[in-house]
Amino acid sequence: MQYGLTEEQEMIVSTVRSFVEKEIYPHEELVERTGEVPHEIAQDIKQKTLNLGFYACNFPESVGCAGLSHLDFALVERELGRGSMALNHFFGRPQNILMACEGDQKERYLMPAVRGERMDALAMTEPGAGSDIRGMKCAAVRDGGDWVVNGTKHFISGADHADFFIVFIATGEDDTPKGPKKRITAFLVDRGTPGFTIRGGYKSVSHRGYKNMILDFDDCRLPDAQVLGQVDGGFEVMNTWLYATRITVATMSVGRARRVFDYALSYAAEREQFGQPIGKFQGVSFQLADMITEIDAADLLTLAAADRLDKGLPSNREIASAKLYASEMLGRVTDAAIQIHGGMGLMDDFPLERFWRDARVERIWDGTSEIQRHIISRDLLRALGA
């Protein structure tokens, strides 16, 4: 990995950071207060992203997009992490597994998604299947030329704005020495499909305005044309997606931590107690030193993982390490920032209490910290035949 950014990468960082500061920051208080993103604001963000040429920049030039590398895209996500997730959702980064579309799926789903004409959402988690994906009960069975789907998905982010969904559904079961093992298939499901309903989810303290929804399937019929990838090949496309989203969580955690640190640093330099800025007291200055060291470490760990992906190197452990460390680092940094601000840190005069609440979910979604530790330790032990 080359340390230090190229001129083009510096331009990416500068452009996206400026966009977040000008187009995202001004609306954050409204979204935090109401829990909603007004339609006109969402459309304005989307159109300005399209005008910049950054919409679907995680997709290749072959479909008319910017074709950013994993490393370059990580820089984009890092800057977006500074802003409200509910608002930067409309910056537009469709699920990259849409590249698995074939035939007329490309014109129905892939191309409208990258052009900003249709928005997608991904549905995997169920009430009884979170970390244990193979425990899913949402199932599809053959009936003539169709699949009939029954079951429920929950914690589905972005479902309130999605025009179609990438849904992972059990399509069979194999007997293995370790017991029954579900076969999983990915399906493309349009909003409004008979037997498919979307309802409100749970009220979360994290990322207000970025809603989670519940999807219900009641004898919902899907033809073979709606299968994304191969029947029973859901894990293949799932793994492609998991790499990208775990890096996203890591990079956005770094971006948010840097914004939080800026607040803490400025406050420590300006706030006076006992006749001097509180930053002069080691109880505060040492916290600042620890915060920036952890942020820089998480940043380098994350960019190195993205760089390995670009080079085609094995990256599963490195991506898990980045997601684990960066998400937990964000929790420590936001907590320290509040401590430096004292009682004011918990008041809504500052956005720190929001960042503190938002940070908590990063250790859970897209693979819990415990799952990341499992991936890391399994990779280490397998090399020794254990």
Side-chain angles (χ1 to χ4, degrees):
M1 180 179 175
Q2 295 294 321
Y3 293 92
L5 302 183
T6 66
E7 185 176 340
E8 181 179 345
Q9 289 170 334
E10 292 282 9
M11 187 177 298
I12 289 172
V13 170
S14 175
T15 301
V16 179
R17 183 176 299 181
S18 177
F19 184 94
V20 171
E21 291 173 350
K22 293 177 180 178
E23 308 298 341
I24 302 297
Y25 285 7
H27 304 299
E28 288 181 334
E29 193 278 330
L30 173 66
V31 173
E32 183 68 15
R33 187 178 72 251
T34 65
E36 303 286 343
V37 178
H39 177 74
E40 61 274 14
I41 291 177
Q43 293 305 116
D44 185 56
I45 292 171
K46 179 191 288 188
Q47 188 57 55
K48 287 177 178 174
T49 306
L50 286 163
N51 294 343
L52 274 178
F54 272 92
Y55 200 93
C57 60
N58 54 322
F59 278 72
E61 293 178 357
S62 61
V63 293
C65 299
L68 296 187
S69 66
H70 289 289
L71 179 55
D72 291 346
F73 185 57
L75 297 173
V76 171
E77 294 281 60
R78 188 181 70 186
E79 296 310 313
L80 288 175
R82 291 173 175 267
S84 161
M85 184 167 284
L87 290 160
N88 68 39
H89 175 67
F90 299 97
F91 194 89
R93 292 94 75 211
Q95 302 293 338
N96 60 2
I97 58 173
L98 287 173
M99 287 301 295
C101 285
E102 298 178 350
D104 68 352
Q105 289 178 347
K106 294 180 180 179
E107 289 304 318
R108 293 174 59 204
Y109 300 103
L110 171 61
M111 297 311 298
V114 300
R115 290 193 297 254
E117 297 164 1
R118 303 188 76 193
M119 294 196 78
D120 61 300
L122 190 138
M124 185 184 303
T125 304
E126 298 181 8
S131 297
D132 179 18
I133 296 300
R134 289 194 187 273
M136 67 173 59
K137 292 182 172 58
C138 185
V141 296
R142 279 285 193 187
D143 184 27
D146 295 337
W147 295 90
V148 179
V149 184
N150 285 282
T152 297
K153 299 288 182 181
H154 78 163
F155 289 156
I156 310 306
S157 302
D160 48 333
H161 299 286
D163 299 292
F164 69 94
F165 298 78
I166 304 159
V167 189
F168 290 85
I169 301 170
T171 45
E173 192 172 83
D174 294 322
D175 290 323
T176 73
K178 294 184 179 181
K181 182 179 179 181
K182 296 280 179 67
R183 298 195 300 272
I184 308 295
T185 301
F187 289 86
L188 295 161
V189 184
D190 291 299
R191 177 184 287 271
T193 298
F196 172 52
T197 57
I198 305 164
R199 56 190 172 97
Y202 316 100
K203 187 175 182 179
S204 175
V205 301
S206 296
H207 299 300
R208 288 178 180 165
Y210 187 65
K211 298 181 180 180
N212 68 84
M213 309 293 281
I214 298 171
L215 313 183
D216 291 316
F217 296 87
D218 183 11
D219 288 339
C220 176
R221 284 187 170 270
L222 300 174
D224 273 333
Q226 299 308 112
V227 172
L228 179 63
Q230 302 298 314
V231 172
D232 299 333
F235 268 95
E236 183 178 344
V237 290
M238 187 188 298
N239 287 334
T240 301
W241 169 75
L242 284 174
Y243 279 136
T245 58
R246 285 173 179 168
I247 288 180
T248 290
V249 172
T251 55
M252 295 187 81
S253 293
V254 171
R256 199 164 298 123
R258 290 204 185 278
R259 184 177 176 189
V260 169
F261 178 78
D262 288 344
Y263 279 106
L265 182 63
S266 295
Y267 192 80
E270 296 168 3
R271 168 70 165 166
E272 290 193 359
Q273 289 287 277
F274 304 102
Q276 63 181 350
I278 62 173
K280 287 186 174 293
F281 296 103
Q282 288 184 350
V284 173
S285 64
F286 282 13
Q287 286 191 77
L288 294 171
D290 288 341
M291 290 163 74
I292 196 60
T293 299
E294 286 207 68
I295 293 169
D296 286 345
D299 202 358
L300 291 171
L301 190 62
T302 302
L303 296 181
D307 185 61
R308 287 183 66 87
L309 268 185
D310 285 330
K311 292 175 178 174
L313 298 172
S315 309
N316 200 23
R317 174 172 63 83
E318 289 78 7
I319 291 171
S321 293
K323 198 274 183 185
L324 169 66
Y325 186 77
S327 62
E328 297 201 341
M329 171 278 297
L330 178 60
R332 292 188 291 270
V333 166
T334 53
D335 190 77
I338 286 176
Q339 193 69 19
I340 289 171
H341 280 75
M344 287 304 298
L346 291 171
M347 303 300 110
D348 60 12
D349 298 70
F350 292 95
L352 293 177
E353 58 86 21
R354 164 163 60 92
F355 296 135
W356 187 47
R357 287 186 282 104
D358 291 349
R360 190 58 187 87
V361 75
E362 308 300 342
R363 288 179 269 165
I364 297 173
W365 60 11
D366 294 307
T368 63
S369 288
E370 291 73 25
I371 288 296
Q372 305 314 312
R373 288 185 169 95
H374 171 69
I375 292 169
I376 296 163
S377 59
R378 181 183 59 189
D379 185 83
L380 295 171
L381 291 167
R382 277 181 176 174
L384 300 178

